mmCIF file of all heavy atoms in Angstrom:
data_model
loop_
_atom_site.group_PDB
_atom_site.id
_atom_site.type_symbol
_atom_site.label_atom_id
_atom_site.label_comp_id
_atom_site.label_asym_id
_atom_site.label_seq_id
_atom_site.Cartn_x
_atom_site.Cartn_y
_atom_site.Cartn_z
ATOM 1 N N GLY A 8 8.720 21.440 -63.124
ATOM 2 C CA GLY A 8 9.715 20.408 -62.761
ATOM 3 C C GLY A 8 9.005 19.081 -62.474
ATOM 4 O O GLY A 8 7.863 19.068 -62.042
ATOM 5 N N VAL A 9 9.751 17.974 -62.762
ATOM 6 C CA VAL A 9 9.223 16.663 -62.416
ATOM 7 C C VAL A 9 10.354 15.881 -61.717
ATOM 8 O O VAL A 9 11.492 15.905 -62.179
ATOM 9 C CB VAL A 9 8.780 15.904 -63.730
ATOM 10 C CG1 VAL A 9 8.359 14.507 -63.396
ATOM 11 C CG2 VAL A 9 7.629 16.671 -64.406
ATOM 12 N N GLN A 10 9.974 15.165 -60.640
ATOM 13 C CA GLN A 10 11.017 14.418 -59.924
ATOM 14 C C GLN A 10 11.341 13.122 -60.636
ATOM 15 O O GLN A 10 10.391 12.394 -61.040
ATOM 16 C CB GLN A 10 10.459 14.049 -58.566
ATOM 17 C CG GLN A 10 10.099 15.209 -57.673
ATOM 18 C CD GLN A 10 9.706 14.656 -56.327
ATOM 19 O OE1 GLN A 10 10.526 14.153 -55.566
ATOM 20 N NE2 GLN A 10 8.415 14.747 -56.022
ATOM 21 N N SER A 12 11.721 10.286 -59.519
ATOM 22 C CA SER A 12 11.605 9.360 -58.367
ATOM 23 C C SER A 12 11.009 8.010 -58.803
ATOM 24 O O SER A 12 10.615 7.229 -57.947
ATOM 25 C CB SER A 12 10.706 10.003 -57.305
ATOM 26 O OG SER A 12 9.559 10.573 -57.863
ATOM 27 N N GLY A 18 -0.574 9.849 -64.684
ATOM 28 C CA GLY A 18 -0.934 11.025 -63.860
ATOM 29 C C GLY A 18 -0.011 12.183 -64.139
ATOM 30 O O GLY A 18 -0.475 13.306 -64.399
ATOM 31 N N ASN A 19 1.299 11.907 -64.157
ATOM 32 C CA ASN A 19 2.254 12.975 -64.509
ATOM 33 C C ASN A 19 2.021 13.482 -65.923
ATOM 34 O O ASN A 19 2.147 14.688 -66.203
ATOM 35 C CB ASN A 19 3.690 12.424 -64.449
ATOM 36 C CG ASN A 19 4.102 11.862 -63.073
ATOM 37 O OD1 ASN A 19 4.586 10.780 -62.977
ATOM 38 N ND2 ASN A 19 3.878 12.636 -62.027
ATOM 39 N N GLY A 22 -1.605 15.243 -66.094
ATOM 40 C CA GLY A 22 -1.677 16.407 -65.171
ATOM 41 C C GLY A 22 -0.673 17.503 -65.558
ATOM 42 O O GLY A 22 -0.941 18.679 -65.364
ATOM 43 N N ALA A 23 0.482 17.093 -66.113
ATOM 44 C CA ALA A 23 1.535 18.100 -66.326
ATOM 45 C C ALA A 23 2.198 18.035 -67.684
ATOM 46 O O ALA A 23 2.084 18.987 -68.483
ATOM 47 C CB ALA A 23 2.596 17.954 -65.236
ATOM 48 N N LYS A 112 4.263 12.596 -46.534
ATOM 49 C CA LYS A 112 5.512 11.874 -46.781
ATOM 50 C C LYS A 112 6.267 11.597 -45.458
ATOM 51 O O LYS A 112 6.864 10.540 -45.307
ATOM 52 C CB LYS A 112 6.369 12.602 -47.765
ATOM 53 C CG LYS A 112 5.815 12.546 -49.195
ATOM 54 C CD LYS A 112 6.869 12.743 -50.295
ATOM 55 C CE LYS A 112 6.224 12.543 -51.673
ATOM 56 N NZ LYS A 112 7.078 12.816 -52.792
ATOM 57 N N VAL A 144 1.251 22.535 -63.428
ATOM 58 C CA VAL A 144 1.421 21.408 -62.467
ATOM 59 C C VAL A 144 0.048 20.770 -62.238
ATOM 60 O O VAL A 144 -0.960 21.313 -62.602
ATOM 61 C CB VAL A 144 1.933 21.867 -61.087
ATOM 62 C CG1 VAL A 144 3.425 22.106 -61.109
ATOM 63 C CG2 VAL A 144 1.230 23.083 -60.615
ATOM 64 N N GLY A 145 0.095 19.603 -61.570
ATOM 65 C CA GLY A 145 -1.150 18.936 -61.145
ATOM 66 C C GLY A 145 -1.668 19.595 -59.886
ATOM 67 O O GLY A 145 -0.952 20.382 -59.227
ATOM 68 N N ASP A 147 -2.021 18.615 -56.919
ATOM 69 C CA ASP A 147 -1.346 18.377 -55.641
ATOM 70 C C ASP A 147 -0.227 19.443 -55.357
ATOM 71 O O ASP A 147 0.206 19.551 -54.222
ATOM 72 C CB ASP A 147 -0.636 17.001 -55.657
ATOM 73 C CG ASP A 147 0.334 16.835 -56.805
ATOM 74 O OD1 ASP A 147 0.010 17.141 -57.939
ATOM 75 O OD2 ASP A 147 1.481 16.428 -56.523
ATOM 76 N N GLN A 148 0.143 20.183 -56.351
ATOM 77 C CA GLN A 148 1.224 21.155 -56.144
ATOM 78 C C GLN A 148 0.684 22.581 -55.798
ATOM 79 O O GLN A 148 1.487 23.553 -55.688
ATOM 80 C CB GLN A 148 2.106 21.263 -57.369
ATOM 81 C CG GLN A 148 2.881 19.974 -57.651
ATOM 82 C CD GLN A 148 3.718 19.573 -56.431
ATOM 83 O OE1 GLN A 148 4.468 20.375 -55.854
ATOM 84 N NE2 GLN A 148 3.556 18.335 -56.004
ATOM 85 N N GLY A 184 -7.664 16.075 -66.087
ATOM 86 C CA GLY A 184 -6.412 15.490 -65.700
ATOM 87 C C GLY A 184 -5.648 16.124 -64.540
ATOM 88 O O GLY A 184 -4.519 15.678 -64.231
ATOM 89 N N GLY A 185 -6.209 17.100 -63.867
ATOM 90 C CA GLY A 185 -5.520 17.769 -62.766
ATOM 91 C C GLY A 185 -5.174 16.841 -61.611
ATOM 92 O O GLY A 185 -4.304 17.082 -60.813
ATOM 93 N N ARG A 186 -5.968 15.786 -61.479
ATOM 94 C CA ARG A 186 -5.701 14.838 -60.376
ATOM 95 C C ARG A 186 -6.166 13.416 -60.793
ATOM 96 O O ARG A 186 -7.378 13.086 -60.611
ATOM 97 C CB ARG A 186 -6.428 15.284 -59.087
ATOM 98 C CG ARG A 186 -6.032 14.509 -57.876
ATOM 99 C CD ARG A 186 -6.601 15.165 -56.623
ATOM 100 N NE ARG A 186 -6.406 14.399 -55.431
ATOM 101 C CZ ARG A 186 -5.279 14.425 -54.699
ATOM 102 N NH1 ARG A 186 -4.281 15.188 -55.017
ATOM 103 N NH2 ARG A 186 -5.169 13.685 -53.582
ATOM 104 N N ILE A 187 -5.298 12.676 -61.398
ATOM 105 C CA ILE A 187 -5.619 11.283 -61.771
ATOM 106 C C ILE A 187 -5.418 10.442 -60.502
ATOM 107 O O ILE A 187 -4.412 10.580 -59.800
ATOM 108 C CB ILE A 187 -4.668 10.796 -62.896
ATOM 109 C CG1 ILE A 187 -4.803 11.674 -64.143
ATOM 110 C CG2 ILE A 187 -4.897 9.318 -63.226
ATOM 111 C CD1 ILE A 187 -6.091 11.582 -64.885
ATOM 112 N N LYS A 196 -4.123 9.984 -54.857
ATOM 113 C CA LYS A 196 -3.698 10.296 -56.211
ATOM 114 C C LYS A 196 -2.734 9.273 -56.756
ATOM 115 O O LYS A 196 -2.055 8.604 -55.980
ATOM 116 C CB LYS A 196 -3.059 11.708 -56.294
ATOM 117 C CG LYS A 196 -1.655 11.758 -55.742
ATOM 118 C CD LYS A 196 -0.858 12.950 -56.316
ATOM 119 C CE LYS A 196 0.606 12.718 -55.919
ATOM 120 N NZ LYS A 196 1.595 13.335 -56.790
ATOM 121 N N MET A 197 -2.752 9.089 -58.091
ATOM 122 C CA MET A 197 -1.805 8.147 -58.685
ATOM 123 C C MET A 197 -0.416 8.694 -58.514
ATOM 124 O O MET A 197 -0.190 9.861 -58.759
ATOM 125 C CB MET A 197 -2.146 7.963 -60.177
ATOM 126 C CG MET A 197 -1.246 6.918 -60.858
ATOM 127 S SD MET A 197 -1.606 6.738 -62.615
ATOM 128 C CE MET A 197 -3.123 5.817 -62.602
ATOM 129 N N SER A 198 0.535 7.859 -58.020
ATOM 130 C CA SER A 198 1.853 8.350 -57.715
ATOM 131 C C SER A 198 2.936 7.365 -58.147
ATOM 132 O O SER A 198 2.762 6.133 -57.946
ATOM 133 C CB SER A 198 1.902 8.572 -56.211
ATOM 134 O OG SER A 198 3.149 8.919 -55.794
ATOM 135 N N LYS A 199 3.984 7.859 -58.793
ATOM 136 C CA LYS A 199 5.026 6.959 -59.335
ATOM 137 C C LYS A 199 5.824 6.273 -58.214
ATOM 138 O O LYS A 199 6.504 5.269 -58.484
ATOM 139 C CB LYS A 199 5.919 7.671 -60.293
ATOM 140 C CG LYS A 199 6.728 8.835 -59.747
ATOM 141 C CD LYS A 199 7.700 9.351 -60.801
ATOM 142 C CE LYS A 199 7.505 10.817 -61.078
ATOM 143 N NZ LYS A 199 7.822 11.717 -59.973
ATOM 144 N N SER A 200 5.824 6.813 -56.999
ATOM 145 C CA SER A 200 6.600 6.183 -55.957
ATOM 146 C C SER A 200 5.706 5.347 -55.029
ATOM 147 O O SER A 200 6.131 4.957 -53.927
ATOM 148 C CB SER A 200 7.419 7.244 -55.226
ATOM 149 O OG SER A 200 6.525 8.188 -54.669
HETATM 150 P P1 ATP B 1 6.168 11.042 -56.173
HETATM 151 O O1 ATP B 1 5.314 9.804 -56.205
HETATM 152 O O2 ATP B 1 7.620 10.745 -56.140
HETATM 153 O O3 ATP B 1 5.737 12.030 -55.104
HETATM 154 P P2 ATP B 1 4.643 12.054 -58.304
HETATM 155 O O4 ATP B 1 4.232 10.911 -59.158
HETATM 156 O O5 ATP B 1 3.660 12.628 -57.379
HETATM 157 O O6 ATP B 1 5.968 11.743 -57.521
HETATM 158 P P3 ATP B 1 5.934 14.488 -59.219
HETATM 159 O O7 ATP B 1 7.292 14.410 -59.820
HETATM 160 O O8 ATP B 1 5.842 14.924 -57.827
HETATM 161 O O9 ATP B 1 5.150 13.089 -59.324
HETATM 162 O O10 ATP B 1 5.023 15.375 -60.144
HETATM 163 C C1 ATP B 1 5.294 15.846 -61.411
HETATM 164 C C2 ATP B 1 4.111 16.573 -61.965
HETATM 165 O O11 ATP B 1 3.044 15.675 -62.198
HETATM 166 C C3 ATP B 1 3.583 17.623 -60.997
HETATM 167 O O12 ATP B 1 3.147 18.728 -61.753
HETATM 168 C C4 ATP B 1 2.419 16.950 -60.340
HETATM 169 O O13 ATP B 1 1.454 17.877 -59.860
HETATM 170 C C5 ATP B 1 1.888 16.120 -61.493
HETATM 171 N N1 ATP B 1 1.165 14.946 -60.970
HETATM 172 C C6 ATP B 1 1.709 13.967 -60.156
HETATM 173 N N2 ATP B 1 0.790 13.028 -59.932
HETATM 174 C C7 ATP B 1 -0.350 13.436 -60.558
HETATM 175 C C8 ATP B 1 -1.675 12.887 -60.651
HETATM 176 N N3 ATP B 1 -1.959 11.727 -60.093
HETATM 177 N N4 ATP B 1 -2.591 13.535 -61.370
HETATM 178 C C9 ATP B 1 -2.253 14.693 -62.013
HETATM 179 N N5 ATP B 1 -1.079 15.285 -61.953
HETATM 180 C C10 ATP B 1 -0.094 14.671 -61.242
#
Side-chain angles (χ1 to χ4, degrees):
V9 176
Q10 298 185 70
S12 47
N19 300 130
K112 289 203 175 175
V144 281
D147 61 310
Q148 295 303 311
R186 189 170 174 85
I187 300 292
K196 75 156 192 155
M197 184 181 284
S198 173
K199 63 174 123 65
S200 58

